[in-house]
């Protein structure tokens, strides 16, 4: 069984997805991540998808699901390392990574997380509500 | 073709090995890592092997080779996340990870690298020569 390692770096948990996401792997990752967030008290999750050639609807749902679980456990999620071709395919397929913020690489993802925590303000693109109620 | 992503975090390059190392993957990783060390000027390489159930002689040689290449490019290598069972098997097989330092997890690996750079002293277990010439 493939198992994706969860690495702790400071206040952030880092996950680098390199294997094909199947049902069991995805569920295991969700479990592992939720447990590690609770165990470590980390406030940020960075998911690196540099190795992924394609993000289909299943992977998209898995990422959204991880982000939602982390959110409930008081951790923000940033997806980093998306290839240009993956971004194009995502849009062409009409998939939206709901509730997920993205950054170009791990370092920028960490900056994004630190900024979000540091000033106590909600992160940009944090929720749909903000955008909808911004100019009533 | 499986390709192992190389992630830059501060002055360190992080590699999480999750796929079975075959000849092509190993060579590709060596190339990628060498290029990234030169491109970024990083002084540390952390290789996470949490996901590996076994470290055979080929993987051991690959790790040693990466450490040697990094050394020439002025970067220190630390292998982190080795499972207890892997450590036991390594010793039983009589394999020594020559020229490789290890740490329990990524954070301790980063501390080890920072310590090595910070005080300007050679790292413990840095080379065989030191041990041999310590008490002539």
């Amino acid at each position: 069984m493939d198992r994706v390692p969860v690495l702790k770096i400071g206040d952030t948990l880092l996950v680098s997805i390199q294997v094909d996401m199947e049902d069991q792997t995805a569920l295991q990752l969700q479990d592992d991540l939720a447990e590690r967030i609770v165990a470590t008290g980390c406030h940020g999750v960075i998911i690196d998808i540099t190795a992924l050639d394609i993000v289909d609807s299943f992977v998209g749902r898995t990422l959204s699901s991880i982000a939602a679980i982390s959110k409930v456990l008081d951790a923000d999620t940033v997806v980093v390392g998306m290839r240009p071709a993956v971004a194009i395919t995502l849009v062409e397929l009409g998939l939206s990574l709901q509730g997920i913020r993205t950054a170009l690489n791990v370092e920028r993802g960490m900056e994004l997380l630190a900024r979000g925590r540091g000033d106590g303000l909600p992160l940009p693109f944090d929720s749909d509500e903000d955008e909808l109620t911004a100019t009533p």
Side-chain angles (χ1 to χ4, degrees), chain A:
Chain A
M1 187 196 64
D2 291 322
R3 193 161 178 162
V4 182
V6 179
L7 307 175
K8 180 176 179 295
I9 301 173
D11 192 35
T12 307
L13 295 177
L14 175 65
V15 178
S16 176
I17 298 179
Q18 299 171 25
V19 293
D20 287 333
M21 286 297 250
E22 289 162 16
D23 287 18
Q24 194 53 46
T25 318
L27 287 176
Q28 184 72 53
L29 176 57
Q30 286 177 17
D31 282 2
D32 288 349
L33 206 44
E35 271 173 33
R36 286 296 296 275
I37 292 173
V38 172
T40 61
C42 283
H43 288 111
V45 175
I46 292 184
I47 303 177
D48 169 67
I49 58 169
T50 314
L52 295 189
D53 286 320
I54 184 138
V55 172
D56 57 16
S57 60
F58 176 72
V59 174
R61 269 203 310 280
T62 303
L63 293 176
S64 294
S65 167
I66 286 175
I69 295 170
S70 305
K71 191 82 196 161
V72 181
L73 295 172
D74 194 23
D76 295 312
T77 304
V78 179
V79 170
V80 304
M82 190 183 292
R83 298 189 190 181
V86 171
I88 292 168
T89 313
L90 266 182
V91 172
E92 281 178 354
L93 290 175
L95 294 175
S96 68
L97 297 178
Q98 209 173 8
I100 296 180
R101 274 162 305 141
T102 53
L104 273 188
N105 53 44
V106 176
E107 287 187 321
R108 294 194 184 194
M110 284 182 164
E111 281 168 22
L112 186 62
L113 289 171
R115 243 187 357 253
R117 284 281 149 186
D119 54 14
L121 294 173
L123 289 163
F125 323 121
D126 204 22
S127 71
D128 295 330
E129 285 76 28
D130 286 350
E131 290 164 28
L132 291 174
T133 59
T135 51

